[in-house]
């Protein structure tokens, strides 16, 4: 019977270095979140785009209050609002089809 060598396990990470945890906000995830937030203005959708939850996004913002991330969040929301325009401005209202007239 032929024996196969046992595969060697991957080397351990150096002391003090942890492997990426999908539950953590990496700088890349923060960038994805902020870009999606600027596009949509929606925290839930932006968090999903980054593979995270809106709850964890709000926790991160609270933890990083006053930091560039916190300021970028506010700027992203402001940008999204500007891009959406004023919903009560007649120029942004959807066109309506003319009402059908009743036959006499």
């Amino acid at each position: 019977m032929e024996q196969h060598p046992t595969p060697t396990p991957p080397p351990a990470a150096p002391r003090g270095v942890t492997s990426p945890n999908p539950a953590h906000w990496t700088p890349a995830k923060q960038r994805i979140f902020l870009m999606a937030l600027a596009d949509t203005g929606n925290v839930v959708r932006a968090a999903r785009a980054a593979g995270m939850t809106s709850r964890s996004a709000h926790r991160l913002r609270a933890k990083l209050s006053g930091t560039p991330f916190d300021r970028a969040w506010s700027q992203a929301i402001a940008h999204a609002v500007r891009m959406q325009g004023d919903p009560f401005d007649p120029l942004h209202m959807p066109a309506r089809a003319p009402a059908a007239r009743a036959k006499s």
Side-chain angles (χ1 to χ4, degrees), residues 22-88:
H24 290 141
W25 281 93
T26 63
K29 286 182 179 182
Q30 291 177 30
R31 281 190 297 276
I32 292 167
F33 171 80
L34 291 169
M35 289 173 61
L37 187 60
D39 286 344
T40 66
N42 184 304
V43 175
V44 173
R45 288 166 56 187
R48 282 186 189 145
M52 303 299 283
T53 66
S54 61
R55 184 174 179 210
S56 69
H58 285 290
R59 279 196 314 258
L60 179 67
R61 186 179 192 194
K63 180 180 176 182
L64 299 179
S65 179
T67 66
F69 177 81
D70 182 34
R71 289 189 294 276
W73 181 311
S74 296
Q75 292 169 350
I77 292 289
H79 174 77
V81 169
R82 281 192 308 273
M83 293 299 105
Q84 291 174 0
D86 180 358
F88 299 107

Side-chain angles (χ1 to χ4, degrees), residues 86 88-94:
D86 180 358
F88 299 107
D89 183 348
L91 295 175
H92 292 98
M93 299 291 272

